Amino acid sequence: MSMTDRGNRRQGRLYAVPAAGLGLVLLGTIGTAGLADSATESDGLAAFDPELTADVVSVRRAGLTEVAQVLTFIGSMPVLVLLTVVGAIVLRLLTASWRAPGLLVGAMVGSAITTYALKLAVGRQRPGADLVLGPPDANSAFPSGHALNSAVFFGMLAGLMWVGTRSTLARLAVLTGAVVISAGIGLSRIYLGYHWATDVLAGWLAALTWLAIVGTVAYVTRSRSRPDGSPAA
């Protein structure tokens, strides 16, 4: 392959990644906005929330409840803050750079702000207190902060580890783990009665949007760190 062909391929990647990131941002934004409107008007997908919640409540079992409570604990803000601090320290030690820990901390700060802003804007009521397995939560339901913040945290870790390893198996394992635990945390919120299904879905979509923004910015700034456009180490 000639130097010209390699340059063209590299240039193509530089444009393809931001384009894909923009597509995900648009998809996530439109989806979140649509669910917010649905939650406000109690129509669309939100109209199915009560029935779905009743179905989930009907399958509650002691073992499942314990698993759900553990997952909800992992996705709580105090635990995520602790994990973020620990993760940032470990990333700093492993990379000898502030870039990776800075991206993780910045992503989580943005995630928390996004969660607060959406809750304030939508102001949706949670399911009835009689459905909740645990202490009541008085803040707004939409979106699920557990779903949004945990998806951003584990998604960022997966992305940073993906970049840091060349093993395809390790990359797939990390990505699968991030998806499974994020999905489990979100579903636990429905199971325990703290959120409607559309709250959780909105949390995932908002997380997708924010991760796409952070990932695109990180990729573009990293790719420009060398004169030839190749990623920096």
Side-chain angles (χ1 to χ4, degrees):
M1 181 181 295
S2 68
M3 292 296 294
T4 301
D5 290 337
R6 289 178 181 175
N8 289 338
R9 289 186 61 183
R10 184 180 297 117
Q11 195 69 20
R13 288 197 298 270
L14 290 177
Y15 286 109
V17 172
L22 177 60
L24 290 175
V25 170
L26 290 174
L27 175 65
T29 301
I30 292 171
T32 304
L35 287 174
D37 180 71
S38 177
T40 301
E41 302 294 333
S42 297
D43 59 7
L45 289 178
F48 298 97
D49 278 334
E51 181 179 353
L52 181 57
T53 296
D55 290 340
V56 172
V57 169
S58 69
V59 300
R60 284 174 173 172
R61 301 291 185 274
L64 288 176
T65 298
E66 292 176 1
V67 172
Q69 289 172 335
V70 170
L71 288 169
T72 274
F73 175 74
I74 294 172
S76 64
M77 184 55 72
V79 173
L80 288 178
V81 168
L82 176 61
L83 290 176
T84 299
V85 172
V86 173
I89 293 172
V90 172
L91 287 170
R92 169 61 183 171
L93 293 175
L94 290 176
T95 64
S97 168
W98 289 107
R99 179 180 174 80
L103 285 170
L104 178 62
V105 172
M108 291 306 294
V109 170
S111 178
I113 293 173
T114 300
T115 301
Y116 177 79
L118 286 173
K119 284 181 178 292
L120 191 64
V122 178
R124 189 185 196 187
Q125 294 294 316
R126 291 177 180 268
D130 58 310
L131 297 175
V132 178
L133 293 181
D137 196 333
N139 65 15
S140 299
F142 186 101
S144 165
H146 280 66
L148 199 167
N149 295 316
S150 63
V152 169
F153 175 77
F154 291 107
M156 281 299 300
L157 277 188
L160 292 170
M161 294 176 70
W162 182 286
V163 172
T165 181
R166 295 182 180 275
S167 169
T168 301
L169 183 61
R171 285 178 166 181
L172 291 176
V174 167
L175 181 60
T176 300
V179 170
V180 169
I181 192 168
S182 297
I185 290 171
L187 293 175
S188 75
R189 303 303 285 167
I190 304 172
Y191 179 91
L192 295 175
Y194 283 100
H195 284 286
W196 306 108
T198 46
D199 300 334
V200 172
L201 181 57
W204 288 334
L205 286 173
L208 173 66
T209 304
W210 182 235
L211 284 171
I213 293 173
V214 175
T216 300
V217 171
Y219 179 84
V220 170
T221 56
R222 189 171 189 257
S223 297
R224 289 178 178 174
S225 60
R226 287 182 176 177
D228 64 356
S230 60

